[in-house]
Amino acid sequence: MTSAHRIITPESVLPGAAPCGHIIRGKTVPAASGKTFSTVNPANGREIARLAEGSAEDVDRAVAAARAAFAGPWSRWTPTQRQALLGRVAALVDERFEELALLETLDMGAPLTRTRMLKEPIRQMIMFFAAQALNVKGETLQSSLPLSVQAMTFKAPVGVVAGIIPWNGPLISQWWVLGGVLATGCTAVMKPAEDASLSVLRIVELLHEAGMPEGVVNVVTGFGHVAGEALARHSGVDRVAFTGSTETGRKIIQASAVGMKKLQLELGGKSPDIVFADADLDKAVPGAAMGVFNNSGQVCYAGTRLFVQRSIQHEFVERLKAFTATVKVGDGLDPTVQLGPLISQKQLDRVTGYVGDAPSEGARLVAGGQRPGGDLANGFFFTPTIFADVSNSMRIAQEEIFGPVISVIPFDDADDALRMANDIDYGLGGAVWTRDVSTMFKMVNGIRSGTVWVNCYGAVDPAVGFGGIKNSGYGVKGGAEHLDLYLYRKAVYINLG
Ligand code: NAI
Ligand code: MG
């Protein structure tokens, strides 16, 4: 039966009663210890699957499988063959997308209105990497060596890549790693987040269905401080691509000293979103609001420090409040819901803690600030929240909350806005809303971050990509440079004499 005829229900997409295993050498296998752990639907706290609890032993097996695959038939696949594999998996993902979107909604809470919308972005991302498969090139140089020696450079796949990814959108974010691995001929061990592993397990099954050789991509599920730590440290891993917290990023930098692994790190953010009095407020109000509330605020580049020019502050906050009242929070299976729950009790406690402390520092609560009750009381929901009269030095302005919480910070002029925008340890995203070209360029040039949006927020094209500076990490996602993590440069000198 094709998916068009299959009846898709939560029961039909979830793995069922038997625990999910790791995927090693193309086979689904239990943890070496036999241990499993529970993963829940954050909309109601109910267990939806049991996952294999990975240990250092499981990581050893998965890395060995990836090393063997790197040296095996996969190493003789041509770029065109790898491109075709990416094309086949893109078609499969497209065909099964309704199931994948539902699985992601059940596992990490983002509403179907969001997960369904990822269909085209994911297709674009896979096809971007399919194109990159044919774009790996070295150079032939005019050298100053004796005439008989010809010099050139090759680019070669680096080997085994560890992909350690977070829970805030693995259905799409895993492609940043899988795309790079498959385009270049590397192999991988993926360690999905303990709170959202199901879409990674499902996609790796689809990769095998599309004809990927066994062992090319392996998955070890489990906890960060055990399985993640063992993988980041493993001497059989050549490079690590990590997305997550700055704190864990630091641990991964330390672990990378084993084997001198090059890293791509996309870490936390506290991005400035700057609205000038001359902006088109019909666009700026919903744009800035959703620049934070999207995915319930669980987005690395969310524009959580909302700088608003003082002359429009009152009007802007009123309109922001009115817009926020229209945003529907609920179980993501409801096709009218815009915001789902937070991922976990831990994340809910974190958001509740920051919101509870903010008034004592002088922030004024304008909207939200609590958990919704009724049907939503058992889920990890939090109402979209706005604080006004925030100053840039308050904790809610300086620390990543990772929830639907906006801090409105007034500013007087462009210099004032820039000074505060850059007074932060992070440098991931940022935006400016204005109709004035010189104000726009002043902000684009002045904001110290890896990405700046103008009169929009959060658009990402894989061909251009994004990345961070400061505590937001290093190494880009997307663009031609993306593949630098997956390749190394080999200088070749040939004596033709
Ligand atoms: P985390 O950074 O601990 O988790 C991300 C991934 O790293 C998960 O797969 C986890 O299992 C793994 N991990 C954890 N400890 C590890 C270690 N020692 N070695 C190797 N891997 C390890 O983030 P967590 O605890 O889930 O969330 C805490 C905060 O991090 C959030 O509140 C948010 O502020 C930030 N965060 C940022 C993300 C981003 O996209 N930049 C994504 C997720 C969280
Ligand atoms: Mg889950």
Side-chain angles (χ1 to χ4, degrees):
M1 262 199 296
T2 68
S3 66
H5 302 112
R6 199 181 287 151
I7 296 169
I8 299 169
T9 62
E11 292 70 34
S12 75
V13 301
L14 288 172
C20 304
H22 307 308
I23 301 179
I24 299 177
R25 234 179 276 273
K27 307 278 181 308
T28 297
V29 295
S33 67
K35 281 194 200 161
T36 63
F37 68 101
S38 178
T39 194
V40 303
N41 176 349
N44 53 34
R46 283 193 218 119
E47 180 174 287
I48 51 170
R50 295 200 67 83
L51 302 173
E53 188 179 325
S55 63
E57 194 178 344
D58 297 304
V59 167
D60 268 345
R61 290 179 186 179
V63 172
R67 287 237 75 87
F70 183 67
W74 175 243
S75 66
R76 292 184 294 278
W77 278 44
T78 63
T80 316
Q81 288 174 306
R82 296 197 305 268
Q83 182 182 53
L85 171 65
L86 281 159
R88 288 194 300 275
V89 76
L92 272 178
V93 167
D94 223 59
E95 185 193 311
R96 310 282 170 81
F97 204 79
E98 186 58 21
E99 292 168 60
L100 291 166
L102 180 54
L103 185 66
E104 182 86 335
T105 291
L106 293 164
D107 198 15
M108 56 70 68
L112 281 175
T113 49
R114 178 180 173 87
T115 56
R116 280 181 176 148
M117 202 188 64
L118 295 173
K119 185 172 183 174
E120 182 57 21
I122 290 176
R123 198 191 63 79
Q124 272 181 22
M125 228 165 119
I126 301 174
M127 296 319 285
F128 163 74
F129 284 109
Q132 294 307 302
L134 301 192
N135 201 26
V136 175
K137 47 184 180 281
E139 290 175 306
T140 308
L141 300 157
Q142 256 186 348
S143 90
S144 307
L145 295 165
L147 266 184
S148 59
V149 178
Q150 178 60 57
M152 60 187 79
T153 63
F154 290 2
K155 289 279 176 73
V158 75
V160 177
V161 176
I164 303 178
I165 62 170
W167 38 261
N168 55 340
L171 182 58
I172 186 158
S173 70
Q174 63 184 303
W175 290 103
W176 291 120
V177 185
L178 297 176
V181 164
L182 299 174
T184 54
C186 286
T187 61
V189 178
M190 302 293 285
K191 210 301 283 172
E194 43 273 48
D195 287 316
S197 302
L198 295 180
S199 66
V200 177
L201 291 167
R202 190 74 192 101
I203 288 290
V204 175
E205 283 171 14
L206 290 185
L207 280 170
H208 286 104
E209 202 174 320
M212 180 185 75
E214 58 181 43
V216 169
V217 178
N218 307 273
V219 186
V220 175
T221 51
F223 297 104
H225 63 281
V226 182
E229 160 78 25
L231 183 60
R233 195 169 287 281
H234 202 289
S235 60
V237 168
D238 296 287
R239 296 203 174 161
V240 181
F242 172 74
T243 302
S245 64
T246 297
E247 195 188 330
T248 300
R250 277 205 188 86
K251 292 183 188 157
I252 289 187
I253 290 173
Q254 280 159 5
S256 74
V258 179
M260 301 293 168
K261 301 175 190 83
K262 185 172 171 178
L263 306 175
Q264 187 263 313
L265 300 173
E266 196 223 308
L267 310 175
K270 196 74 194 177
S271 299
D273 192 0
I274 305 171
V275 183
F276 281 86
D278 73 337
D280 178 351
L281 295 192
D282 291 340
K283 294 202 176 73
V285 169
M290 294 315 287
V292 178
F293 295 150
N294 260 328
N295 212 29
S296 301
Q298 304 167 119
V299 175
C300 47
Y301 48 67
T304 47
R305 290 185 301 143
L306 182 50
F307 295 99
V308 176
Q309 199 155 23
R310 208 178 294 277
S311 59
I312 57 161
Q313 189 195 1
H314 181 73
E315 180 193 355
F316 192 90
V317 169
E318 285 308 309
R319 290 179 67 167
L320 196 59
K321 183 178 172 183
F323 174 82
T324 301
T326 69
V327 176
K328 186 166 176 188
V329 179
D331 187 325
L333 296 180
D334 174 342
T336 64
V337 157
Q338 291 162 281
L339 301 186
L342 297 167
I343 187 72
S344 62
Q345 184 66 48
K346 177 181 145 192
Q347 201 58 29
L348 179 61
D349 291 344
R350 178 185 175 111
V351 173
T352 313
Y354 277 108
V355 168
D357 291 346
S360 70
E361 283 194 274
R364 176 168 58 91
L365 183 66
V366 173
Q370 77 283 323
R371 301 177 61 178
D375 290 348
L376 304 183
N378 291 328
F380 311 128
F381 292 93
F382 201 83
T383 310
T385 298
I386 305 168
F387 282 105
D389 303 337
V390 177
S391 76
N392 193 49
S393 59
M394 290 179 191
R395 268 184 74 224
I396 48 165
Q398 289 290 315
E399 296 176 21
E400 184 173 56
I401 302 174
F402 231 56
V405 183
I406 295 178
S407 295
V408 177
I409 306 170
F411 71 90
D412 293 312
D413 57 23
D415 289 323
D416 192 30
L418 263 186
R419 182 183 52 75
M420 290 192 283
N422 291 333
D423 183 10
I424 192 81
D425 290 336
Y426 295 108
L428 196 53
V432 54
W433 301 79
T434 179
R435 288 181 165 112
D436 185 276
V437 175
S438 52
T439 306
M440 177 193 90
F441 272 110
K442 187 177 170 88
M443 294 295 123
V444 166
N445 289 322
I447 295 173
R448 298 227 328 123
S449 78
T451 305
V452 182
W453 288 282
V454 179
N455 294 333
C456 61
Y457 205 98
V460 170
D461 181 338
V464 180
F466 67 107
I469 58 168
K470 301 203 259 183
N471 281 359
S472 297
Y474 50 75
V476 290
K477 283 177 171 167
E481 309 97 299
H482 184 109
L483 294 195
D484 289 349
L485 184 77
Y486 301 82
L487 299 166
Y488 68 99
R489 178 182 183 274
K490 183 182 290 188
V492 181
Y493 297 92
I494 304 173
N495 184 351
L496 300 166

